[in-house]
C-alpha cells in the first residue's frame, strides 16, 4: 500500500469521462489522443518513476446534475501557457444556454494524484499513430485552485486534502467507525474466501493498511454509479468516508448473500433435473432391450415429414415411401438400418424443385462486372454476353456447355464464377483432376460398404438448389482404369437430351440435371475424348501479352497482394517500370500466377521492414508495485478498463518523429535483385544460343501456352547415322527424318556438298538435340525448324538471332499450317524476337493476335521450304536454286 506522498503545487491533468479513480485503486487506460499522448510522454515516460499526474472526472454539460462544485470551461485556445476562464459553482448556471452546453466541459473540483505502475508504447498500423497503455495507481486527494492550459493538455494548481494521522487517532467517533467498518469488511472477506475457497491472506490487509485508505480500496472494487463514486471522492472527512464505505460494503455483502440463496435454489433444481435425466436414460435402455424405442419413432416421424416437404416427383416419392415403410419394420440393431436412414435423409435433402431466386439479367451490368474482374479477353467476354443474352430471351433454353481452354493462370475458373453472379445463381465447383473411377461421377451402388453418391449429387446437396452454375474443373485430366472411365460417364451429364433422367448408382432413381448450367475448364483439348468434346463449345483463352500483364498487375494483382499482406499504397509502391522488369526478367508464362508470386515476395519483404519498425516498450524501471492479494486478484481477473480520454485539441506535430511511419517504400531495381534474386531471363539469350551454325529457333505450343524451342544440330565422325535426343515423341522423330531426307535430296541445289563429295553423311553422323530434355516433346510443327538447323550446319551459315519459325513440311518441301499460332506469336513476343516465319495458310489465324503484338513483330509467310531459308539467313539464301517442283 502506498505511503503518504508530498504533492507538488501544480500537476498535469488527465481527464476521465464519467469515471472516478479513488486513492489506492488501480486502473488501466489506453491513451490515443494527441493531448493524452503528449501528457504521458512528458509527465510519465520521460520522468519515469518520479512522474505524477492528476486525474479529474469530467462530464458533458447535458449530463450535469447538481452533484457538487464543478469547473465549466469552453473550448480553449492553443496558446502555450494561458490561464483559462473558469467558473466554480453549480453547473446549473449553464442550462440557460442550450447551444453552448454542447461545447462546455464540466470538470470536478476534486481529483486524485496518480503515478504509473506500468507503461507500454506502440505504433498503430497503418496510420502510424502513437499510443500508450498506462496502469495508474491512485495516491491521494487534492483540490483544484486554478485550471490552465499548457500546450495540448491542462495543468492545475492544487492543494492536498489529506488529514494527518494524529488528527484521526484522537477522534473517538473515528475509532468507533473504524471498528464498525473493519467488522463489516471481515465478514465480507470471510464470505468471499468461503465462496472462492481461498486462504485468509486478504485479512492481513485489515491489520497492515490504514483504515481510511482501506475504505477507498474496498469501495473501488465494487460496481457503483458515477454519482456514488463522486460522492466517495468528495468525502474528505474521514468519518464521512468510513460511514459511506461501511454502507457500501454492507450493501455488497447483502447482495452476495441473496445471490447465494438463488444459487442454492438453482442447484437444487439442477440436481433434480439430473436425477430425472438419469432415470430417462435408464428407461431408454430398457426400451432398447425390449425393442420399443419411442425416440427412434420420433426420428422416423421427423424424417417422414422432411421427405414430404422435399417436393419429390410422384414416382420418386413412391420409391422413398416404400423404403421408409420397410425401415419402420426394422430394428435399429439390424444390418442395413443405418444405411437406409442415410439414404432416405439424402433423398430428403436433395433440391428436387428448389431453385435460386434469379434476378432479371442485366447484360450491361454483367459486362461491367467481367471488365472489372478480367482485363482483356474481349472475344471470350463477348461470347459469354451472347450466352447470357440467349438465357435472358429464353430462360429454359438448353444452351451449349462452355469449355474454357487455356494455360494456367488466365482466369478460367473466375470467368465461371462471373457467369454465376450474372445469372444470380449459386456456384459449385467439382474438381475432376486425377479422377479415374466412374463411381466419382455416377456414385457407388448401395450394396457396397461405404457407398456414397457421386460428386455431382453431393455438389447439388451442398448448394441446396437444382439450378446452380456447376464448374467441371480440369476436365482434361480425368483418367481411366479397371474401375471405369469418368469421361464416358460425363457424356450423359453433358448431353441435354439425356441429363433430364441422370441416374446416380447410389440414388437409383432419376434426377433432373437439365436446369444445371455446366461450365468446364481444361488446359488442353487433345486429352478430352472426341465424343465428350463434341458435347461442349470450346472457347480458347490464350496467354496474356506483357502489356496486358502490366495492366492486370496494376489494376488487380498489386491491390490484392497489398491487402493480403496487411499493406497499402502508403506503405509500399511498385512503379510500372518495376512491374515491367518483373515481367521481362522473372516471368515468362502465359498466365499471371508467377507474376503474382513475385509481387507477393516484394510485399513480404516490405512487411518485414515495417514490422521491424514497430516498437512496444514496457516500462518497469524499479517502480514500486502493489503486492496486495485483493488488488492483484482484481487485475488478474481481467479488470481491463478501457477509458475514453477526452482529446483536448489535436496537434499532429507534437507526436514524436521517432515513431512516425516513414514515407512509402518504393521498389527499385536494387530491391528487385535483393528480393527476387538475379534475373532469370535475358533478352540476349536467343542471340547467344544462335551464335554458332547448326542452331535454329522454333515456336511450339504446350499446355502452359506457347514456348520458344531451340533446335541444335552437329556433325561428327561416324557411319551416316541420325541421333535424336531430348525426350522426343514419334511424330517429331519422323519430322527429323523427313527434314534430313529433304536436305540430302537438295544438297547439290543448295550447294551444301563439295563437288567431289556425293553424300552429305559420308563418314559422319548427325546428332539433333532439343534442349530441356526433361520436358516431353512431340508434334509436327518443328519440321521447318529442323530443316533450317541442318542447312545451317552443312553450310556453316548462322541463322538470324531475331527470327523464329514454326510449320510442318512435306517431303516435297511444302510448308503446311499448324495450330496454336496466337500462343506461339505471344511466346515470341515475350522472348523479344522481332521476326516470325509462319506457313502462308496460317495467315487467317493472325486475326486473333492482339494488334499491339503484331505491330512489334515482322510476320513472314512461307509457302515452300525455300521461302523459309530465304528469310532465316542474313542476306537471304544465295546458294539457293529454285526447285521446279
Amino acid at each position: 500500500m502506498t505511503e503518504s506522498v508530498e504533492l507538488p503545487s501544480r500537476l498535469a491533468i488527465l481527464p476521465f469521462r464519467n469515471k472516478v479513480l479513488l486513492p489506492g485503486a488501480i486502473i488501466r487506460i489506453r491513451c490515443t489522443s494527441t493531448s493524452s499522448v503528449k501528457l504521458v510522454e512528458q509527465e510519465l515516460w520521460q520522468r519515469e518513476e518520479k512522474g505524477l499526474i492528476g486525474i479529474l472526472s469530467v462530464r458533458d454539460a447535458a449530463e450535469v446534475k447538481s452533484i457538487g462544485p464543478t469547473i465549466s470551461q469552453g473550448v480553449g485556445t492553443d496558446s502555450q501557457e494561458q490561464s483559462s476562464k473558469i467558473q466554480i459553482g453549480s453547473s446549473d448556471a449553464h442550462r440557460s444556454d442550450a447551444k453552448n452546453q454542447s461545447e462546455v466541459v464540466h470538470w470536478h473540483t476534486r481529483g486524485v494524484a496518480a503515478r504509473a505502475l506500468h507503461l507500454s508504447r506502440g505504433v498503430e498500423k497503418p496510420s502510424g499513430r502513437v499510443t500508450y497503455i498506462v496502469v495508474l495507481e491512485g495516491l491521494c486527494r487534492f483540490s483544484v485552485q486554478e485550471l490552465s492550459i499548457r500546450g495540448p493538455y491542462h495543468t492545475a494548481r492544487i492543494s492536498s486534502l489529506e488529514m494527518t494521522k494524529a488528527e484521526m487517532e484522537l477522534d473517538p467517533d473515528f475509532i468507533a467507525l473504524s471498528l464498525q467498518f473493519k467488522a463489516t469488511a471481515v465478514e465480507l472477506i470471510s464470505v468471499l474466501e468461503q465462496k472462492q475457497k481461498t486462504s485468509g491472506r486478504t485479512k492481513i490487509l485489515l491489520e497492515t493498511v490504514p483504515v481510511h485508505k482501506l475504505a477507498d480500496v474496498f469501495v473501488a472494487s465494487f460496481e457503483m454509479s458515477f454519482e456514488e463514486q463522486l460522492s466517495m471522492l468528495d468525502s474528505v472527512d474521514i468519518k464521512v468516508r468510513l460511514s459511506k464505505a461501511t454502507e457500501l460494503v454492507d450493501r455488497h455483502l447483502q447482495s452476495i448473500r441473496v445471490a447465494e440463496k438463488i444459487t442454492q435454489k438453482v442447484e437444487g433444481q439442477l440436481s433434480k433435473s439430473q436425477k430425472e435425466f438419469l432415470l430417462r436414460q435408464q428407461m431408454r435402455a430398457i426400451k432398447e432391450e425390449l425393442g420399443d424405442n419411442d425416440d427412434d419413432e420420433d426420428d422416423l416421424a421427423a424424417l417422414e415429414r422432411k421427405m414430404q416437404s422435399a417436393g419429390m416427383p410422384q414416382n420418386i416419392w413412391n420409391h422413398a415411401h416404400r423404403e421408409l415403410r420397410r425401415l419402420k419394420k426394422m430394428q435399429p440393431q439390424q444390418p442395413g438400418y443405418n444405411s437406409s436412414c442415410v439414404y432416405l435423409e439424402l433423398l430428403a435433402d436433395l433440391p428436387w424443385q428448389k431453385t435460386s431466386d434469379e434476378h432479371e439479367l442485366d447484360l450491361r451490368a454483367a459486362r461491367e462486372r467481367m471488365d472489372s474482374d478480367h482485363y482483356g479477353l474481349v472475344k471470350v467476354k463477348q461470347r459469354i454476353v451472347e450466352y447470357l443474352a440467349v438465357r435472358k430471351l429464353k430462360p429454359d433454353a438448353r444452351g451449349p456447355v462452355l469449355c474454357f481452354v487455356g494455360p494456367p493462370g488466365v482466369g478460367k475458373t473466375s470467368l465461371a464464377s462471373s457467369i454465376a453472379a450474372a445469372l444470380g445463381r449459386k456456384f459449385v465447383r467439382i474438381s475432376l483432376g486425377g479422377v479415374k473411377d466412374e463411381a466419382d461421377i455416377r456414385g457407388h451402388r448401395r450394396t457396397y460398404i461405404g457407398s456414397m453418391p457421386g460428386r455431382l449429387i453431393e455438389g447439388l446437396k451442398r448448394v441446396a438448389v437444382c439450378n446452380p452454375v456447376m464448374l467441371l474443373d480440369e476436365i482434361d485430366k480425368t483418367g481411366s482404369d479397371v474401375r471405369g472411365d469418368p469421361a464416358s460417364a460425363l457424356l450423359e451429364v453433358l448431353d441435354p437430351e439425356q441429363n433430364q433422367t441422370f441416374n446416380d448408382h447410389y440414388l437409383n432413381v432419376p434426377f433432373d440435371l437439365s436446369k444445371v448450367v455446366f461450365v468446364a475448364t481444361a488446359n488442353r483439348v487433345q486429352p478430352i475424348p472426341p465424343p465428350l468434346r463434341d458435347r461442349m463449345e470450346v472457347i480458347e483463352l490464350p496467354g496474356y501479352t506483357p502489356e496486358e500483364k502490366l495492366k492486370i498487375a496494376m489494376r488487380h494483382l498489386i491491390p490484392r497482394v497489398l491487402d493480403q499482406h496487411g499493406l497499402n499504397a502508403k506503405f509500399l509502391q511498385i512503379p510500372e517500370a518495376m512491374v515491367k522488369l518483373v515481367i521481362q526478367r522473372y516471368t515468362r508464362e502465359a498466365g499471371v500466377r508467377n507474376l503474382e508470386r513475385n509481387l507477393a515476395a516484394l510485399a513480404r519483404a516490405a512487411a518485414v521492414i515495417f514490422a521491424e519498425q514497430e516498437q512496444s516498450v514496457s516500462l518497469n524501471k524499479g517502480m514500486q508495485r502493489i503486492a496486495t492479494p485483493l488488488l492483484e486478484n482484481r487485475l488478474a481477473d481481467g479488470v481491463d478498463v478501457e477509458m475514453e480520454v477526452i482529446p483536448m485539441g489535436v496537434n499532429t506535430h507534437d507526436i514524436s518523429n521517432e515513431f512516425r511511419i516513414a514515407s512509402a517504400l518504393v521498389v527499385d531495381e536494387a530491391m528487385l535483385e535483393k528480393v527476387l534474386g538475379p534475373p532469370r531471363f535475358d533478352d540476349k539469350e536467343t542471340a547467344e544460343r544462335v551464335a554458332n551454325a547448326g542452331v535454329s529457333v522454333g515456336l511450339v505450343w504446350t499446355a502452359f501456352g506457347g514456348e520458344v524451342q531451340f533446335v541444335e544440330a552437329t556433325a561428327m565422325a561416324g557411319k551416316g547415322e541420325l541421333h535424336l535426343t531430348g525426350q522426343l515423341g514419334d511424330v517429331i522423330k519422323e519430322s527429323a527424318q523427313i527434314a534430313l531426307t529433304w536436305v540430302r535430296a537438295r544438297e547439290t541445289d543448295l550447294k551444301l556438298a563439295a563437288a567431289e563429295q556425293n553424300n552429305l553423311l559420308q563418314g559422319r553422323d548427325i546428332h539433333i538435340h532439343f534442349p530441356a530434355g526433361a520436358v516431353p516433346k512431340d508434334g509436327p510443327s518443328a519440321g521447318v525448324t529442323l530443316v533450317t538447323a541442318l542447312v545451317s550446319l552443312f553450310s556453316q551459315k548462322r541463322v538470324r538471332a531475331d527470327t523464329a519459325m514454326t510449320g510442318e513440311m512435306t517431303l516435297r518441301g511444302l510448308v503446311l499450317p499448324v495450330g496454336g499460332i496466337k500462343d506461339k506469336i505471344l511466346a515470341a513476343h515475350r522472348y523479344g524476337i522481332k521476326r516470325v516465319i509462319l506457313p502462308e495458310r496460317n495467315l487467317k489465324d493472325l486475326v486473333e493476335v492482339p494488334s499491339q503484338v503484331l505491330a512489334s513483330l515482322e510476320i513472314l509467310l512461307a509457302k515452300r521450304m525455300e521461302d523459309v531459308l530465304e528469310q532465316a539467313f542474313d542476306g537471304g539464301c544465295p546458294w539457293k536454286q529454285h526447285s521446279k517442283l
Side-chain angles (χ1 to χ4, degrees), residues 30 109 203 315 352 527 561 602 674 717 720 780 836 847 870 879 883:
R30 183 169 181 263
T109 57
K203 291 183 179 179
N315 59 330
W352 298 96
V561 166
L602 296 174
K674 181 179 179 181
V836 177
V847 180
E870 177 70 20
W879 58 88
S883 173

Side-chain angles (χ1 to χ4, degrees), residues 172-193:
D173 294 337
F174 168 75
I175 297 174
L177 288 171
S178 299
L179 294 175
Q180 183 182 1
F181 173 76
K182 282 188 175 183
T184 308
V186 168
E187 188 176 0
L188 174 62
I189 292 174
S190 300
V191 172
L192 291 175
E193 289 179 347

Side-chain angles (χ1 to χ4, degrees), residues 383-402:
R383 180 62 188 90
I384 294 175
V385 170
E386 294 171 358
Y387 177 84
L388 297 177
V390 175
R391 285 275 176 179
K392 181 176 182 179
L393 297 178
K394 190 176 182 182
D396 58 344
R398 297 180 181 178
V401 177
L402 301 182

Side-chain angles (χ1 to χ4, degrees), residues 18 57-73 89-95 100-102 104-108 226-227 230:
N18 298 334
S57 301
V58 298
R59 62 169 57 200
D60 297 333
E63 302 173 352
V64 172
K65 300 179 181 178
S66 298
I67 57 175
T70 60
I71 300 175
S72 304
Q73 179 182 349
S90 174
S91 61
D92 294 340
H94 297 279
R95 292 181 180 174
N100 292 334
Q101 273 189 349
S102 61
V104 176
V105 174
H106 292 265
W107 302 71
H108 202 66
F226 182 50
E227 286 74 14
L230 286 178

Side-chain angles (χ1 to χ4, degrees), residues 351 353-358 391 423-428 460 463-470 511-517:
Q353 295 181 359
K354 184 179 179 182
T355 59
S356 299
D357 297 330
E358 299 184 48
R391 285 275 176 179
L423 290 173
R425 298 191 182 189
K426 292 187 177 182
F427 178 72
V428 57
L460 292 172
V463 296
V465 291
C466 64
N467 64 338
V469 174
M470 183 174 290
F511 191 91
D512 187 5
L513 296 178
S514 61
K515 298 178 182 178
V516 179
V517 176

